[in-house]
Amino acid sequence: MSDKNDHIKDLGRRHFLRNSAITGVAGASLAGGFGAGAMMGSRPAEAAANNEHHVGPGELDEYYGFWSGGHSGEVRILGIPSMRELLRIPVFNVDSATGWGITNESKRVLGENAPRNGDTHHPKVSYTDARYDGRYCFINDKLNTRVARIRLDIMRADKIVTIPNVQSIHGLTLQRVPRTERVYAAGEMIIPLGNNVQHMDDPSEYWTMMTCLDADTMEIKWQAIVDGNLDNCDTDYSEKYVAASCYNSSRGMTLPEMMGPERDWTVIFNVPAIEQAIANGESTTVGDSAVPVVDAREQAHSGRNPFALYVPTPRSPHGVNTMPPEGKYCVVSGKLSPTCTVIEWSRVDAWFDGSLDDPRDTVVAEPEVGLGPLHTTFDNRGNAYTSLFLDSQVVKWNVEDAIRAYNGDEVNYIRDRIDVHYNIGHIKASLACSRDVDGKYLAALSKFSKDRFLPVGPMHAENDQLIDISGQQMTLIHDGPTYAEPHDALMIRADQLNPSQTYTRDDPYFAETVAMARADGVDLETANTVIRDGNKVRVYMTSVAPNFGLTEFRVKQGDEVTVVVTNLDNIADVSHGFAMVNHGINFEIHPQQTSSATFIADRPGVHWYYCSWFCHALHMEMSGRMLVEPA
Ligand code: K7E
Ligand code: CUA
């Protein structure tokens, strides 16, 4: 498809954003200071010549990919390597196809008055012994300061928690061993403690916190007050630490103020020390919240801070990623510095136990990798891969060689570079956040697609690219247009997930609806009946393709009507939908599921309902009438 002229054109376009970004944001100092390795030329990306990665019609993918949906508020599942989109899991948004945000079951998870949009960034799948166990996916909402848990058997969120005392949850990460018992959520924006209006005009009193949730109950265990804005975070491969990058260590309110310092820091929280202090009663609370809070700010401690280690890190650092399979190092990507900072976890132990004094002595390498390093991922051969936002490249570098170079050896740690299209953010190699890291595929989530796809108006597709990293050189094998704006992704092996094919009748997702029926004396599997309770009317019906158990029901104008549908079909993929015309009601009822929605019958007359999921040759005929008598 491409010829030499296309390539020249491509070079002209790809450097546009890089140059404007350097002059516009980072200033002159950012362009300087490159080692010879960093200047090594890159190969333009070419599509793989052969089709060994092609997944043919009817063939199944090797990996599940979990994609954040960004400001669509959802999480998506892709098949890898085909990059076929398999599912969208609505989380913080409203979804008409499934009825998420419309059904009573989803409203119980979302909260009746909670916002119905979100900004999802960092999906994380739960672990047992640092391996994916396929139980849950956790996801943050940067927009409305929430964390959600998605059950991976039914692919629906079952808990959504609003985090108190902070604004904006950005980084999200999980305890890896012995299993995921804790979820860490990094608060980004700084505000006065308790958002106390007395300090509104005094930014020196603005702070944020790291939050720890119990992964089993989704209750908040504790929060730790910290200096500077928290960005991304990751844990080690023990139960001890969570590290977060911090930008805006100067706690500025404007961009020039935020850009001030040459170094910000990586802050590493000592979880056992924090939890011991709380057990000893050495915590406080903030505002109306009952969550135990410890003070991990530097100025709160006269001697060594027992809760947090602040490692000076250049400059507005962004991604934080622990290197598999043993979790020996943590790589912090420099964003406005052309470097990555490599921290050795055992030296973090040494700092907390007092045998190391200078926080910078936890750093064992600081390779120069290119312009705008945002996130780093890994293969199983000791190599790191860093996304370079400004260079629009992925750079592959060897971690042990970078350590040798830091110690003064003449060694080129850069292994390869590949162009991506364009201005990449997150990057993730297959299984790279787990012990099972296998070094086969790398997803590169590019923020701009410009000329890679047919134009569709001012809003262009994003471009999720797939790169084969199994060889010495990286090979681009797929461009995948995607709807705005995925931030992060991860890949787990297909055998590490075992989703349900149908619901079970005792699923807790609709247990409250079942309890409501029981209180009404209704057996959901047999009854097709209408229960009146004052001006509240509960309509119970079954569905079996192609019939609803009730083809009509009668209510009075102004009644609050709750329709409860139980799908008795027991064959995988035979789903029904219940759609009430002109009432904004549509929801899914999958095999053996019970779903319900409540609305006001505010207009007299005939109102048709119909099945909205294609289920049968007589699907169009699967319908009924709500007859509303005038008040
Ligand atoms: Cu780099 Cu929110 Cu993970 Cu976007 S963040 S890129
Ligand atoms: Cu039931 Cu379509």
Side-chain angles (χ1 to χ4, degrees):
M1 295 282 275
S2 69
D3 58 24
K4 275 186 198 131
N5 290 339
D6 283 348
H7 173 55
I8 290 162
K9 196 169 66 189
D10 175 59
L11 281 177
R13 292 179 194 188
R14 56 184 292 102
H15 289 301
F16 170 75
L17 199 85
R18 168 181 163 163
N19 295 334
S20 66
I22 292 171
T23 48
V25 179
S29 71
L30 196 131
F34 274 82
M39 293 303 285
M40 185 175 109
S42 77
R43 288 168 294 108
E46 284 157 22
N50 60 33
N51 251 358
E52 64 183 292
H53 307 286
H54 182 68
V55 183
E59 291 177 0
L60 301 184
D61 280 290
E62 205 179 333
Y63 303 87
Y64 287 102
F66 286 81
W67 252 244
S68 52
H71 30 237
S72 70
E74 62 199 13
V75 169
R76 301 175 192 152
I77 301 183
L78 274 65
I80 309 294
S82 73
M83 302 290 275
R84 297 179 294 202
E85 185 182 283
L86 307 178
L87 185 70
R88 295 181 172 201
I89 305 171
V91 184
F92 301 109
N93 53 332
V94 173
D95 180 57
S96 180
T98 59
W100 184 261
I102 296 164
T103 63
N104 296 322
E105 294 71 34
S106 62
K107 284 178 173 175
R108 282 178 201 124
V109 177
L110 276 156
E112 192 65 43
N113 297 315
R116 292 293 196 261
N117 63 355
D119 185 6
T120 60
H121 281 227
H122 301 114
K124 297 284 154 95
V125 171
S126 56
Y127 299 97
T128 297
D129 190 29
R131 301 192 144 91
Y132 292 120
D133 61 18
R135 293 185 305 136
Y136 294 116
C137 176
F138 297 86
I139 184 76
N140 70 303
D141 172 15
K142 172 165 168 163
L143 178 61
N144 297 304
T145 317
R146 292 179 288 184
V147 176
R149 182 177 75 181
I150 298 164
R151 280 174 53 190
L152 293 184
D153 55 345
I154 59 168
M155 303 293 175
R156 289 288 171 267
D158 75 334
K159 295 273 188 192
I160 294 180
V161 180
T162 301
I163 310 299
N165 299 330
V166 295
Q167 269 177 24
S168 248
I169 294 299
H170 189 230
L172 188 83
T173 192
L174 307 178
Q175 178 186 349
R176 287 190 172 87
V177 295
R179 67 179 187 92
T180 297
E181 294 166 39
R182 293 174 183 80
V183 180
Y184 298 101
E188 182 178 346
M189 317 294 186
I190 52 177
I191 52 170
L193 286 180
N195 223 346
N196 184 339
V197 291
Q198 288 181 338
H199 297 307
M200 225 158 39
D201 293 310
D202 182 6
S204 72
E205 291 292 334
Y206 287 19
W207 311 97
T208 190
M209 302 186 193
M210 174 61 82
T211 299
C212 175
L213 296 99
D214 182 314
D216 296 319
T217 63
M218 289 297 276
E219 275 159 21
I220 300 171
K221 286 170 78 82
W222 50 261
Q223 295 185 300
I225 311 174
V226 64
D227 288 296
N229 300 44
L230 295 179
D231 196 355
N232 283 285
C233 56
D234 200 5
T235 54
D236 64 342
Y237 277 55
S238 79
E239 311 169 57
K240 281 185 283 189
Y241 302 120
V242 56
S245 52
C246 164
Y247 74 96
N248 191 26
S249 59
S250 49
R251 291 192 282 124
M253 296 294 109
T254 61
L255 195 127
E257 289 168 10
M258 292 184 187
M259 302 280 302
E262 281 297 315
R263 273 179 179 173
D264 297 278
W265 51 65
T266 306
V267 53
I268 302 174
F269 297 89
N270 184 332
V271 175
I274 289 170
E275 295 188 352
Q276 187 60 53
I278 291 166
N280 295 346
E282 296 160 20
S283 58
T284 55
T285 57
V286 170
D288 313 331
S289 141
V291 174
V293 173
V294 298
D295 196 339
R297 292 174 291 188
E298 285 291 61
Q299 62 266 43
H301 304 276
S302 48
R304 187 170 296 229
N305 186 334
F307 302 138
L309 158 61
Y310 291 78
V311 181
T313 307
R315 179 180 178 208
S316 290
H318 188 64
V320 178
N321 300 92
T322 293
M323 181 175 176
E326 307 298 341
K328 194 171 175 192
Y329 305 112
C330 181
V331 176
V332 185
S333 308
K335 193 165 82 180
L336 302 187
S337 161
T339 56
C340 284
T341 299
V342 182
I343 295 167
E344 186 169 354
W345 284 110
S346 65
R347 294 184 181 227
V348 174
D349 278 333
W351 188 87
F352 277 111
D353 74 21
S355 55
L356 204 67
D357 272 330
D358 184 351
R360 272 293 293 182
D361 286 345
T362 60
V363 173
V364 294
E366 207 148 70
E368 292 186 352
V369 292
L371 288 183
L374 285 189
H375 296 278
T376 298
T377 189
F378 306 92
D379 64 20
N380 54 350
R381 302 177 297 276
N383 299 305
Y385 301 76
T386 299
S387 57
L388 301 172
F389 176 83
L390 297 178
D391 279 340
S392 285
Q393 286 181 345
V394 173
V395 56
K396 173 183 178 181
W397 52 280
N398 184 273
V399 176
E400 292 299 337
D401 278 355
I403 293 169
R404 275 180 217 115
Y406 191 70
N407 291 331
D409 289 1
E410 291 266 334
V411 41
N412 183 4
Y413 42 79
I414 302 290
R415 291 290 189 271
D416 194 23
R417 292 175 187 277
I418 191 169
D419 291 345
V420 288
H421 314 83
Y422 305 88
N423 299 90
I424 181 176
H426 269 277
I427 185 175
K428 198 61 68 65
S430 42
L431 297 156
C433 302
S434 79
R435 272 196 218 296
D436 296 314
V437 57
D438 64 2
K440 287 167 87 168
Y441 293 108
L442 184 150
L445 281 64
S446 297
K447 301 291 186 190
F448 295 77
S449 63
K450 287 192 276 191
D451 45 8
R452 302 290 283 190
F453 308 115
L454 284 175
V456 286
M459 191 179 89
H460 296 255
E462 318 285 303
N463 187 7
D464 292 343
Q465 298 188 297
L466 194 70
I467 295 170
D468 176 1
I469 57 166
S470 60
Q472 288 206 339
Q473 292 197 327
M474 295 177 274
T475 311
L476 177 66
I477 56 176
H478 191 86
D479 267 19
T482 183
Y483 184 64
E485 180 201 4
H487 277 258
D488 195 5
L490 64 86
M491 294 175 218
I492 79 175
R493 272 199 328 267
D495 65 73
Q496 291 175 313
L497 195 63
N498 186 24
S500 304
Q501 296 296 295
T502 67
Y503 277 81
T504 54
R505 293 294 308 139
D506 58 358
D507 195 296
Y509 181 60
F510 47 79
E512 283 190 51
T513 309
V514 171
M516 179 182 78
R518 196 172 300 129
D520 277 341
V522 169
D523 177 354
L524 285 172
E525 277 120 83
T526 55
N528 289 291
T529 186
V530 178
I531 306 278
R532 176 169 286 279
D533 173 9
N535 67 345
K536 292 184 163 58
V537 177
R538 290 184 283 278
V539 180
Y540 294 97
M541 70 177 85
T542 56
S543 64
V544 179
N547 292 293
F548 286 120
L550 289 176
T551 52
E552 65 169 73
F553 62 87
R554 197 171 286 266
V555 297
K556 291 199 182 68
Q557 184 180 9
D559 281 346
E560 182 195 283
V561 180
T562 299
V563 174
V564 183
V565 186
T566 298
N567 184 359
L568 297 183
D569 279 309
N570 202 8
I571 300 164
D573 213 11
V574 179
S575 300
H576 302 285
F578 180 91
M580 178 64 77
V581 174
N582 291 344
H583 284 73
I585 296 294
N586 184 41
F587 57 81
E588 63 191 351
I589 323 110
H590 297 298
Q592 299 294 300
Q593 185 179 13
T594 293
S595 300
S596 70
T598 299
F599 57 92
I600 305 294
D602 52 0
R603 281 152 285 167
V606 174
H607 303 271
W608 282 90
Y609 52 89
Y610 66 92
C611 175
S612 56
W613 284 71
F614 205 102
C615 57
H616 194 276
L618 294 171
H619 157 77
M620 291 294 290
E621 288 79 359
M622 186 168 174
S623 59
R625 288 168 304 148
M626 172 173 74
L627 307 171
V628 181
E629 292 171 351

